[in-house]
Amino acid sequence: MRKLAVDVVVIGGGSTGAGVVRDVAMRGYSTVLLERADLGQGTTGRFHGLLHSGGRYVVSDPLSATECAQENAILSRIQAGAVEMTGGYFVTGPDDDPSFADKFLAGAAATGVPAQEITVAEALRNEPRLNRGIKRAIEVLDGTVDGWQLVWGAANSARHYGAQILTYHQVTKIDTVDGHVAAVHCKDLKNGEDVLIETGFVLNCAGPWAGQIAAMAGAHPVDVIPGRGIMVAMSHRLVNRVVNRCIYPADGDILVPVHTVSIIGTTDVKVDDPDHLEIEQAEVQQMFDAGEVLVPGFRKARALHAWAGARPLIKDNRVAATDTRHMSRGMAVIDHTTRDGLDGMLTIGGGKLTTYRLMAEHIVDAMCDKLGEKRVCRTAEEDMPVEGAGPNYVVTHRLHDREHDRLDDQIICECELMSRKMFTDALAEQPKGTFDDLRRQLRLGMGPCQGGFCSMRATGIALASEHIDIERATELLRLFLKNRWIGLWPILHGDQLRQTALDNWIFSGTLDIEHLPAAESEVVL
Amino acid sequence: MSRVIVIGAGLAGLVAANRLADGGAEVLLLSKGIGGLQLGQGTVDVLGYNPQRVTNPIKAVAEVAAEHPYATIGAQGVLTALGYLKELVPDLLVGDPEANYHLPTAVGALRPTCLAQPSMLAGNLKAGSSVVVVGLRRLKDFQPELIAGNLGRTELPDGGRVAARAINVDIAAREGEIDSSGLAFAHAFDVPAFRQQFADLLAPLLKDGEIVALPAVIGLKDRQAHSDLAAKLGHPVFEIPLPPPSVAGLRLNQALNARALAAGVRMVSGVRTVGFAADGDRILNVRNATVPAEREYRADAFVLATGGFEAGALAMDSYGTVTETLFGLPLVGTENTPLIHGDYWGAEQPIFSVGVGVDSQMRVLGNGKPVYANLRAVGDVIAGSTRWAEKSGDGVAAASAVLAADSILKEL
């Protein structure tokens, strides 16, 4: 058993946990972050990529609107490398109530969300694919954000301040002594080792899993109601700005350009288990219908992939438990001292990726109060630079990135222009990683062919790097293809079905991959 | 002389065109692209799994379920087609219809297939053999460690194992190019001096008695490239097919094309066939999407050899409606809902068995009778097989093409 001792244990490696561990470390506490999978693998990696201007909430949730506007300005400054300031439009569809735009403008003025109405002609000139029947258009400061870049940026900054980031470490038990948190037990999933961390404080940032963590410390049940949202990535940027329907927040009313794709989202359905999120066919159809309103011909565009994320909404008695969209999107810090007689633990829920830094500030402020210490939050003041390309997407930036080494380095994933060296470098840093871990960093297999051409190459290169053996390599390939399928099959039609036929021809037809020998003993992935 | 139009230039279309021309028809072959052969492995599958590994494919063909195209085609239909194919490309396809080869793939699985190219035969391994898998550093679609690793832990179909190791050789297909396609290497291997240079690099790395596995890029045009290289190395050499662009598939494509041209087939390629006109139960013409105006081609009989979903011959829209995209033919298999399921490693996806139903002359059926008296469907567009999983696509394509052609020739 490995043993550690730190001031603060942060549980959960999504945006909230990463923001919290950074804040904790910057205030001078020794700290460790525990994540049962990879950073940003839960809700953070499964959202639509929208950096809110606040516009979405100016009518339904004014406090959130103001927070979003303020944090948007902060994040686009301190994490410029993870953010693309595309700008955004709120448009009134042909059948939408045009008077909502008046409420919207009034709400924006009241909440401090920058917004101005532009002519329909100007909106159509800037976004030629938009429905020509739109009746009004309002310009806002929406942006798009790479959730993984954002989380890694915060985690790297935290490391710089001495924090330890332990991924693939699953919390198994929380010890309390005389009503006070004393230690956290976890298991290193990559090698099976038990780890004991002595600590005086636990910050529970497990999002939709926060209730499960609180229960381990013996707290009364924390009612986190996971709200499932599905999203569909469409090939190409159908729009270059975020386009929102100018209506009361509903399903499928946002189209977000992120990297090489555009993402339509989202739904909101209460679920029981955040680990089992189905992508219902009816919801996929709903997304396509909604897309058709924003961009006519949407149903004939190429859908690449679908996914579902679970929002960590804290139960609010004012609305019915089944209606997660109208629960407070605002954050809530749960104080377990007053609630459960348990010292040394705080739980945070609610919130949005856009406000992740502010959430961290709130919970760490609350912890400092508990500890009777005055330590000031500085997270809004220090930049987290990202190496590589600048924030603004241009069609050619990826070609530009490869220009200097195009004669020395093979392109292994042509869709996303991932080179051999990018892959082997990432693998050397994470020899125990899965191809999905590497995918999140390198976009391996995330383009139109969805791994059809690159995954066999990646497997061979990983094996040749000698970090893994043949059994593991083969199982990683199997797992990668299986995981890609989870997001493919619900949206398959048109050109992507055609691509899948080709991919099946390659994998099953030519390579006969389903008849590779099974591993002789279980391979821990 | 009667005119027949074949639409599609994959294995089914090329076999049908050759057969029709040999039988005296005036044949026009229309194709959008260069056909599907370069997508595949460049061998001829008949039946590889049912779902157990098949050793005698002709015997297994006689035992398929009633929905399978082979139930209509019959074992004799397959035998006739295989015999014809071997006549069409005598130096490129060899094998016994009653015995599958089991040839290593580019992930190291042992893939059953019926007719193979002579350059692949040394890959039909015997227990106790030693294989050295040779990668080309500048060719990313052939990962020797993966192939050798899996070969080394695979039990051969008749028991026993082989020893396999991986090595890499660095040679440029084109000066200064690090990321070359299989095609670039194939062009290089067509040149004797390149083969010599490669043999000089490789020979010192080989051990006595080893069988040399190479990517299937050892020449595209030069049929002697393989035997010449093997002689230079003094070792048995076999080729392993790669994902597209498959040089092995292209060889078959080019040989069948050349044979068709020699037999008098006319070809119009690069334009999609998009429409047709019919009078009652006869197709009168089809139209190509030429620019600026569509072009009409009339014929007495038509052969639909447009392939499956990968070719765009079949398509499903966002509402889940499946169509045959040229003639709007009735489809079989769409009742198997869900057409797509979430278990990647589970049962075959029903969508890919959807296609048209045919009678024994390959006429497309609707309500139990031919939709058009002069329209035949061949190859992948026919419903009922799981071509990739069971390794049956080439046998269905060739046999349906021969049956369709012969029945047309009887009528003309």
Side-chain angles (χ1 to χ4, degrees):
Chain A
M1 182 190 283
R2 226 177 337 143
K3 285 190 180 176
L4 297 169
V6 293
D7 298 332
V8 182
V9 172
V10 179
I11 298 173
S15 58
T16 312
V20 167
V21 77
R22 173 175 185 249
D23 198 335
V24 168
M26 285 179 80
R27 297 197 207 197
Y29 295 104
S30 64
T31 183
V32 58
L33 179 144
L34 301 176
E35 163 55 48
R36 68 170 185 170
D38 198 10
L39 290 179
Q41 195 167 331
T43 306
T44 300
R46 297 163 201 265
F47 81 127
H48 41 46
L50 173 61
L51 183 70
H52 280 283
S53 60
R56 187 169 165 79
Y57 303 115
V58 291
V59 175
S60 64
D61 187 351
L63 178 62
S64 285
T66 303
E67 286 175 353
C68 282
Q70 291 167 351
E71 288 301 305
N72 176 305
I74 293 170
L75 290 192
S76 55
R77 186 180 73 243
I78 66 170
Q79 292 200 283
V83 170
E84 185 188 347
M85 283 313 293
T86 58
Y89 288 161
F90 277 79
V91 298
T92 306
D95 300 322
D96 298 336
D97 174 9
S99 71
F100 187 82
D102 298 323
K103 289 184 205 159
F104 184 97
L105 289 166
T111 52
V113 172
Q116 62 166 341
E117 183 154 16
I118 60 172
T119 64
V120 167
E122 185 181 351
L124 292 175
R125 193 161 58 241
N126 290 332
E127 293 295 348
R129 284 197 178 92
L130 268 185
N131 191 332
R132 307 201 77 76
I134 61 169
K135 291 188 286 200
R136 296 181 73 171
I138 295 166
E139 188 171 30
V140 295
L141 296 179
D142 284 335
T144 75
V145 57
D146 183 319
W148 295 309
Q149 289 284 1
L150 178 132
V151 170
W152 299 322
N156 287 337
S157 169
R159 278 196 193 100
H160 176 74
Y161 282 95
Q164 291 185 69
I165 309 291
L166 301 181
T167 56
Y168 292 102
H169 279 63
Q170 182 161 27
V171 174
T172 53
K173 196 168 152 232
I174 297 173
D175 289 342
T176 57
V177 175
D178 299 334
H180 198 289
V181 167
V184 176
H185 297 257
C186 59
K187 187 182 265 299
D188 181 341
L189 297 177
K190 293 288 181 179
N191 61 16
E193 189 181 16
D194 290 319
V195 184
L196 172 66
I197 307 170
E198 289 175 7
T199 188
F201 222 103
V202 167
L203 296 176
N204 175 11
C205 308
W209 295 271
Q212 297 171 22
I213 294 295
M216 283 188 200
H220 291 113
V222 171
D223 283 339
V224 182
I225 302 194
R228 177 188 67 213
I230 75 155
M231 280 136 282
V232 180
M234 309 296 292
S235 191
H236 302 299
R237 288 164 71 112
L238 298 172
V239 288
N240 271 312
R241 288 163 186 74
V242 177
V243 177
N244 310 259
R245 287 272 287 282
C246 193
I247 52 177
Y248 201 80
D251 289 347
D253 55 2
I254 315 178
L255 185 59
V256 186
V258 184
H259 294 289
T260 56
V261 302
S262 352
I263 299 167
I264 188 145
T266 175
T267 51
D268 199 339
V269 179
K270 175 188 180 301
V271 293
D272 295 325
D273 180 357
D275 285 318
H276 292 95
L277 302 175
E278 299 292 327
I279 300 171
E280 302 282 348
Q281 202 40 240
E283 290 176 56
V284 171
Q285 291 298 322
Q286 208 183 335
M287 291 300 103
F288 291 154
D289 282 338
E292 198 69 36
V293 173
L294 293 172
V295 174
F298 193 88
R299 278 182 171 274
K300 292 199 170 121
R302 181 168 175 171
L304 292 181
H305 205 85
W307 60 92
R311 299 174 186 81
L313 300 184
I314 296 284
K315 188 169 174 181
D316 181 334
N317 293 329
R318 288 170 300 180
V319 294
T322 49
D323 183 8
T324 52
R325 182 170 297 289
H326 300 115
M327 277 183 198
S328 172
R329 283 250 183 314
M331 56 202 83
V333 175
I334 296 174
D335 178 351
H336 293 284
T337 311
T338 52
R339 188 172 176 275
D340 306 298
L342 173 66
D343 281 332
M345 182 156 103
L346 294 168
T347 291
I348 190 158
K352 287 168 287 296
L353 186 115
T354 301
T355 57
Y356 91 103
R357 190 210 62 84
L358 184 63
M359 293 172 71
E361 181 174 339
H362 284 176
I363 193 172
V364 182
D365 279 351
M367 180 185 78
C368 289
D369 286 347
K370 294 246 159 225
L371 296 172
E373 293 179 315
K374 184 82 186 151
R375 301 196 191 189
V376 179
C377 176
R378 295 188 297 110
T379 54
E381 290 150 28
E382 190 172 310
D383 291 356
M384 292 175 261
V386 174
E387 283 180 30
N392 283 312
Y393 178 92
V394 284
V395 171
T396 51
H397 91 77
R398 298 179 312 153
L399 286 171
H400 179 264
D401 290 347
R402 298 272 65 78
E403 182 70 18
H404 67 284
D405 59 12
R406 74 188 198 285
L407 298 178
D408 312 312
D409 202 3
Q410 291 173 331
I411 299 296
I412 301 305
C413 167
E414 282 101 348
C415 298
E416 296 288 346
L417 290 181
M418 181 201 79
S419 73
R420 179 186 282 258
K421 185 166 186 305
M422 288 161 71
F423 183 73
T424 51
D425 284 355
L427 192 71
E429 278 175 24
Q430 300 160 264
K432 289 179 178 172
T434 67
F435 294 158
D436 277 297
D437 296 336
L438 299 170
R439 170 180 65 80
R440 285 184 280 274
Q441 291 153 44
L442 305 169
R443 299 187 67 78
L444 166 72
M446 288 172 78
C449 94
Q450 291 285 301
F453 284 81
C454 59
S455 37
M456 177 267 275
R457 298 170 186 158
T459 307
I461 292 167
L463 181 63
S465 73
E466 295 181 352
H467 291 298
I468 59 174
D469 64 15
I470 183 66
E471 288 200 340
R472 181 172 174 83
T474 303
E475 293 309 313
L476 284 175
L477 175 59
R478 285 197 176 107
L479 178 68
F480 187 68
L481 294 174
K482 179 178 164 216
N483 286 348
R484 290 281 78 195
W485 188 247
I486 292 170
L488 257 176
W489 76 273
I491 51 88
L492 271 190
H493 70 273
D495 287 341
Q496 199 61 13
L497 180 63
R498 186 173 180 174
Q499 176 74 53
T500 299
L502 176 61
D503 290 354
N504 284 5
W505 191 330
I506 295 172
F507 282 108
S508 175
T510 298
L511 301 177
D512 200 11
I513 193 170
E514 65 271 38
H515 290 100
L516 282 176
E520 290 191 355
S521 54
E522 196 195 346
V523 176
V524 177
L525 299 169
Chain B
M1 199 158 58
S2 296
R3 191 180 204 197
V4 184
I5 286 178
V6 177
I7 307 156
L11 183 63
L14 288 170
V15 168
N18 273 288
R19 185 83 172 181
L20 285 161
D22 287 354
E26 181 196 333
V27 184
L28 176 63
L29 181 70
L30 305 178
S31 68
K32 166 72 173 71
I34 64 166
L37 274 165
Q38 89 287 351
L39 300 179
Q41 76 289 348
T43 70
V44 174
D45 297 335
V46 172
L47 196 57
Y49 297 99
N50 69 348
Q52 300 308 312
R53 181 177 292 268
V54 168
T55 50
N56 180 339
I58 288 297
K59 184 160 166 279
V61 161
E63 294 164 0
V64 295
E67 310 79 55
H68 198 285
Y70 280 147
T72 306
I73 289 166
Q76 189 53 50
V78 176
L79 278 172
T80 305
L82 293 178
Y84 181 60
L85 251 182
K86 284 164 79 171
E87 282 173 32
L88 287 179
V89 287
D91 60 342
L92 204 49
L93 288 176
V94 292
D96 173 1
E98 306 263 356
N100 272 333
Y101 297 115
H102 305 277
L103 302 178
T105 73
V107 293
L110 280 184
R111 186 184 186 287
T113 194
C114 186
L115 306 183
Q117 300 186 13
S119 57
M120 301 170 180
L121 298 185
N124 199 44
L125 298 165
K126 299 282 169 288
S129 313
S130 290
V131 179
V132 57
V133 185
V134 181
L136 301 169
R137 286 230 183 266
R138 294 160 193 250
L139 178 66
K140 61 197 172 193
D141 280 330
F142 188 82
Q143 297 289 331
E145 292 83 2
L146 180 62
I147 299 163
N150 276 325
L151 263 187
R153 66 192 188 109
T154 295
E155 189 173 348
L156 299 180
D158 44 6
R161 302 248 176 174
V162 297
R165 69 183 180 108
I167 58 174
N168 283 281
V169 169
D170 192 5
I171 186 168
R174 290 193 287 220
E175 191 59 38
E177 190 173 86
I178 186 114
D179 199 352
S180 299
S181 74
L183 206 51
F185 271 103
H187 291 314
F189 274 105
D190 272 336
V191 179
F194 182 87
R195 297 201 289 265
Q196 188 62 56
Q197 191 192 346
F198 177 70
D200 291 345
L201 280 173
L202 177 57
L205 307 175
L206 303 179
K207 298 176 185 167
D208 283 349
E210 277 186 324
I211 303 170
V212 178
L214 286 168
V217 297
I218 312 304
L220 178 59
K221 299 243 182 287
D222 184 354
R223 292 276 181 277
Q224 307 308 314
H226 164 260
S227 52
D228 175 50
L229 182 63
K232 284 185 163 79
L233 289 169
H235 284 255
V237 172
F238 72 93
E239 290 188 305
I240 296 178
L242 305 188
S246 159
V247 171
L250 266 177
R251 285 180 200 140
L252 265 183
N253 174 289
Q254 294 189 353
L256 289 169
N257 258 290
R259 171 64 173 67
L261 286 170
V265 173
R266 282 182 55 228
M267 299 188 186
V268 174
S269 54
V271 186
R272 191 175 180 93
T273 305
V274 292
F276 72 104
D279 180 12
D281 74 341
R282 292 193 75 78
I283 306 274
L284 299 177
N285 64 54
V286 292
R287 293 193 313 277
N288 266 12
T290 42
V291 175
E294 290 184 355
R295 169 105 193 246
E296 197 176 285
Y297 297 94
R298 302 181 67 86
D300 303 300
F302 296 82
V303 179
L304 182 69
T306 42
F309 286 91
E310 70 290 335
L314 300 170
M316 183 165 80
D317 70 13
S318 66
Y319 296 99
T321 306
V322 188
T323 48
E324 185 280 309
T325 56
L326 177 52
F327 294 106
L329 296 169
L331 295 175
V332 176
T334 50
E335 68 285 358
N336 296 322
T337 52
L339 285 170
I340 302 172
H341 63 74
D343 185 0
Y344 184 80
W345 294 109
E348 276 299 292
Q349 301 292 341
I351 183 73
F352 295 124
S353 296
V354 172
V356 300
V358 291
D359 67 9
S360 60
Q361 296 183 25
M362 303 298 119
R363 289 179 302 194
V364 179
L365 296 176
N367 295 322
K369 56 180 200 298
V371 182
Y372 298 107
N374 62 341
L375 175 67
R376 267 85 174 169
V378 298
D380 236 7
V381 76
I382 299 175
S385 65
T386 57
R387 63 164 303 170
W388 304 309
E390 67 186 14
K391 280 54 175 181
S392 64
D394 311 300
V396 170
S400 59
V402 167
L403 285 172
D406 289 354
S407 76
I408 291 171
L409 290 169
K410 261 184 213 154
E411 284 177 3
L412 295 178

